[in-house]
Amino acid sequence: MDRLNQINMAITAIEQGAQEYQIGSRRIKKAELSVLYQERRRLEQELREQENYGGVTVACFDRR
């Protein structure tokens, strides 16, 4: 969950215009949004699977 929060904060920062900045002669560029969106989807899917016990469905058939 912490990793997902970090991804969301990075996405928000980039969407608000913090994709790239310069300090002196050094230029810093954050991750590409597409990469962050992809990682967020992966993490959200992982969380859904954990909430659903790994995505395992159990069926019980009773013959009486």
Side-chain angles (χ1 to χ4, degrees), residues 2 4 6-8 12-13 15-19 27 35 38 44 50 53 57 61 63:
D2 188 46
L4 183 56
Q6 291 174 349
I7 295 287
N8 284 329
T12 300
E15 289 176 338
Q16 293 176 349
Q19 174 71 30
R27 183 172 294 272
V35 174
Q38 182 180 6
E44 288 171 340
Q50 287 175 2
Y53 304 105
T57 303
F61 299 96
R63 292 185 180 182

Side-chain angles (χ1 to χ4, degrees), residues 32-46:
E32 294 293 325
L33 269 176
S34 62
V35 174
L36 292 172
Y37 289 145
Q38 182 180 6
E39 179 65 5
R40 180 169 66 182
R41 282 191 299 273
R42 188 190 69 74
L43 289 171
E44 288 171 340
Q45 178 62 34
E46 189 176 296

Side-chain angles (χ1 to χ4, degrees), residues 7-15 18 20 25 30 33 36 47 50 54 58 61-62:
I7 295 287
N8 284 329
M9 287 178 5
I11 288 171
T12 300
I14 291 172
E15 289 176 338
E20 189 173 344
S25 62
K30 294 186 179 179
L33 269 176
L36 292 172
L47 285 173
Q50 287 175 2
V58 176
F61 299 96
D62 187 12

